[in-house]
Amino acid sequence: MKIESARVIVTCPGRNFVTLKIETDQGLHGIGDATLNGRELAVASYLTDHVIPCLIGRDAHRIEDLWQFLYKGAYWRRGPVTMAAIAAVDTALWDLKAKALGVPLYQLLGGRSRDGAMVYAHANGRDLAETVDRVGEYLEKGYKAVRAQSGIPGVAGVYGIGKKDGHYEPATKGLPQESIWATEPYLDFTPKLFEALRDKYGMGPHLLHDVHHRLTPIEAARLGKSLEPYRLFWMEDPTPAENQESFRLIRQHTVTPVAVGEVFNTIWDCKDLIEGQLIDYIRASVVHAGGITHLRRIADLAALYGVRTGCHGATDMSPVCMGAALHFALWVPNFGVQEHMAHEPLTDEVFPHAYRFEDGYMHPGETPGHGVEIDETLAAKYPYEPAQLPVARLPDGTLWSW
Ligand code: EZ4
Ligand code: CO
């Protein structure tokens, strides 16, 4: 099965997505997500100008060889742009191979390890009471796991808080927006939120929280300790992870489970975290960590150390990524949970898909391939709109991690 052509489709049905479509001489096509939030066109150019010319005429069945070719062949290793581009090719090739064999993708990985993938929803409110209500709404919809983020009295623009209608989308049109971050009110407020949630909903539901890289290691240790009575499923990105060793400090102080990895792009970003048993969940995604081929390598390493997967699944992972992630989730033996932040109806229209939500779990469906397509005619009606992620500053104006 030879690759005959490939092209990049950039579309903005509510938010920007970059999709790679590969077509073969057998009339089959495969698609992969290449979206890198706020830096979309860099990946589009990487693919169009540098990768696609190398793909033409190659055997689409040689997934591993093409992965190695693009990774080692670039000479400049790793990095989010490179790895998102490789991921798009890899995902499209897994989609193609599964379609060529007439099976859903999870069958190629080794078949199902479970009946469905438990997902967690995003609940957010402008204050404690609203957040508690929103969590309840998701529990009523059947979610077994809910992430809670709340506005904090006196702190404007806290991460993860939506507009009035509750809708939250991190990237905003145009240039980056600025927000203020204040650590101390956050450290005091957050345990009160989870106390209120456990009071109202009991110990049954899984509760999660995203710190979004905003604390120093010792502050993160304090937060983890203060949340222990509420038995969180995880505390996410408690501190930036460039220095993997800094998680040891958090570990020395708290048994609140730690999840990290949405900004990771290779196994090297998490090797020490995993081998040192410094984390409990690895959040690398299909699109940002080199596709299924590389994510599988990360998950296999993680399994040796009792670390489970909790793949990033915000709205900037396109439905194509979500489809691939759900096949991966159905197979991966050390599955933990999959993030699920529902896309807008318009996005779902542009990307028709076989996956579905049912009673707290998601199912990838039985369609050959990963089960997600792109409606190119509809996609063309929504051209790219420049948008970027916000930045955060401390009250004195110091630029901080957003
Ligand atoms: O801010 O995906 O857990 N989810 C997150 C996301 C990230 C965005 C960045 O593009 O942290 O909301
Ligand atoms: Co996050």
Side-chain angles (χ1 to χ4, degrees):
M1 181 165 62
K2 274 208 167 91
I3 297 175
E4 223 169 49
S5 67
R7 64 181 176 281
V8 173
I9 303 148
V10 182
T11 178
C12 187
R15 66 159 2 277
N16 292 311
F17 294 110
V18 179
T19 309
L20 175 70
K21 183 165 189 175
I22 297 180
E23 287 168 322
T24 70
D25 60 355
Q26 297 193 357
L28 290 174
H29 68 266
I31 61 173
D33 181 21
T35 308
L36 184 62
N37 206 3
R39 296 291 183 270
E40 296 86 1
L41 299 185
V43 188
S45 160
Y46 192 106
L47 283 165
T48 303
D49 298 322
H50 308 293
V51 170
I52 289 175
C54 303
L55 298 179
I56 309 304
R58 287 183 188 271
D59 180 358
H61 276 304
R62 297 185 63 180
I63 301 175
E64 184 67 50
D65 185 66
L66 265 168
W67 195 96
Q68 299 294 338
F69 176 89
L70 293 173
Y71 184 79
K72 294 177 179 153
Y75 185 66
W76 311 108
R77 293 186 182 212
R78 308 161 64 186
V81 176
T82 296
M83 299 311 290
I86 294 178
V89 175
D90 187 78
T91 306
L93 293 180
W94 279 100
D95 188 28
L96 265 167
K97 191 189 280 291
K99 282 172 174 163
L101 298 172
V103 294
L105 205 162
Y106 71 82
Q107 293 293 10
L108 300 185
L109 298 169
R112 60 168 72 224
S113 299
R114 55 192 56 77
D115 301 328
M118 183 173 76
V119 291
Y120 71 90
H122 280 209
N124 64 75
R126 286 164 294 170
D127 56 27
L128 191 148
E130 195 175 74
T131 308
V132 170
D133 287 349
R134 288 269 153 74
V135 169
E137 285 163 24
Y138 281 110
L139 294 176
E140 249 161 53
K141 285 182 189 161
Y143 283 88
K144 315 275 180 240
V146 183
R147 180 187 101 156
Q149 309 292 136
S150 175
I152 303 165
V155 185
V158 175
Y159 161 77
I161 310 309
K163 312 240 162 52
K164 214 169 172 197
D165 62 357
H167 177 73
Y168 168 69
E169 185 62 64
T172 49
K173 306 271 186 249
L175 298 175
Q177 291 195 349
E178 304 233 342
S179 59
I180 299 294
W181 173 250
T183 297
E184 291 75 15
Y186 169 77
L187 287 177
D188 295 340
F189 173 84
T190 306
K192 293 184 189 132
L193 170 66
F194 284 91
E195 182 183 26
L197 287 167
R198 285 303 187 201
D199 277 353
K200 178 125 192 213
Y201 304 116
M203 294 302 280
H206 296 302
L207 296 178
L208 298 79
H209 180 67
D210 192 348
V211 183
H212 221 255
H213 326 269
R214 301 219 168 165
L215 299 177
T216 65
I218 198 68
E219 289 164 353
R222 168 179 289 277
L223 179 68
K225 213 168 167 174
S226 66
L227 292 174
E228 279 173 13
Y230 317 115
R231 210 193 70 240
L232 264 61
F233 188 90
W234 78 36
M235 164 172 84
E236 175 179 333
D237 289 330
T239 197
E242 286 95 326
N243 178 12
Q244 298 180 39
E245 193 57 33
S246 64
F247 281 73
R248 196 174 299 283
L249 197 139
I250 301 173
R251 246 345 188 208
Q252 281 162 356
H253 293 284
T254 180
V255 292
T256 293
V258 174
V260 176
E262 65 182 51
V263 303
F264 292 176
N265 47 74
T266 71
I267 198 166
W268 301 101
D269 295 325
C270 47
K271 177 179 170 289
D272 300 345
L273 287 171
I274 291 171
E275 289 177 349
Q277 293 181 270
L278 305 180
I279 59 171
D280 303 279
Y281 296 92
I282 179 69
R283 284 181 43 71
S285 64
V286 171
V287 57
H288 297 139
I292 288 170
T293 297
H294 194 66
L295 192 59
R296 183 168 65 170
R297 229 137 258 167
I298 296 175
D300 282 343
L301 176 69
L304 303 183
Y305 298 93
V307 175
R308 294 189 283 169
T309 63
C311 295
H312 190 202
T315 37
D316 46 305
M317 322 298 105
S318 92
V320 181
C321 178
M322 180 52 95
L326 290 171
H327 284 269
F328 186 82
L330 210 60
W331 158 73
V332 70
N334 48 325
F335 174 75
V337 72
Q338 165 68 49
E339 182 176 15
H340 178 229
M341 187 180 170
H343 290 111
E344 283 185 33
L346 188 55
T347 300
D348 286 334
E349 261 184 71
V350 168
F351 296 96
H353 50 259
Y355 63 76
R356 64 179 207 285
F357 173 85
E358 206 181 297
D359 197 26
Y361 297 87
M362 281 183 84
H363 304 273
E366 296 295 317
T367 310
H370 54 46
V372 186
E373 289 299 336
I374 180 164
D375 180 335
E376 289 189 69
T377 316
L378 194 56
K381 289 191 184 154
Y382 305 101
Y384 175 73
E385 290 182 43
Q388 296 204 37
L389 290 168
V391 298
R393 291 185 188 275
L394 297 181
D396 73 353
T398 306
L399 197 89
W400 199 241
S401 303
W402 171 71

